[in-house]
């Protein structure tokens, strides 16, 4: 069993959908590979997705650009699995 998490972010889109899933996955993997906490890993993936969705075309943000949106992203656990 695994915990269930919720990630809430600003979904106001002014760019294109092109590359948003790739950006989310890249952000998540970057967080995971640099041993960030699970919350920060989810935030990095969400930040990458938000950044790319505000651009036209496939533009990916740098770490400082992505961290600008960290405060506006809410990550919380919605269902915690308990091993008995």
């Amino acid at each position: 069993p695994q915990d269930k998490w919720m990630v809430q972010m600003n979904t106001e889109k002014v760019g294109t959908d092109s590359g948003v899933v790739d950006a989310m996955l890249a952000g998540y993997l970057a967080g995971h590979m640099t041993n960030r906490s699970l919350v920060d890993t989810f935030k990095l993936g969400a930040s990458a997705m938000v950044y790319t969705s505000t651009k036209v075309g496939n533009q990916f943000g740098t770490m400082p650009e992505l961290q600008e949106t960290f405060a506006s992203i809410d990550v919380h656990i919605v269902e915690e699995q308990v091993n008995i």
Side-chain angles (χ1 to χ4, degrees):
Q2 296 181 356
D3 300 335
K4 294 181 182 176
W5 292 81
M6 173 73 70
V7 177
Q8 294 176 309
M9 62 196 138
N10 179 0
T11 56
E12 183 179 320
K13 187 179 86 106
V14 294
T16 63
D17 291 333
S18 182
V20 294
V21 175
D22 298 322
M24 179 186 64
L25 182 57
Y28 173 84
L29 290 174
H32 180 71
M33 297 300 292
T34 55
N35 297 315
R36 292 177 180 254
S37 70
L38 191 53
V39 169
D40 282 350
T41 296
F42 287 145
K43 280 188 173 194
L44 190 54
S47 292
M49 184 176 178
V50 168
Y51 180 88
T52 299
S53 73
T54 63
K55 307 299 177 200
V56 176
N58 295 328
Q59 294 186 33
F60 299 101
T62 63
M63 192 62 73
E65 290 169 327
L66 300 182
Q67 289 177 331
E68 290 176 7
T69 60
F70 266 38
S72 67
I73 296 173
D74 178 41
V75 176
H76 58 273
I77 195 164
V78 292
E79 185 177 320
E80 188 172 3
Q81 297 295 321
V82 178
N83 293 329
I84 299 177

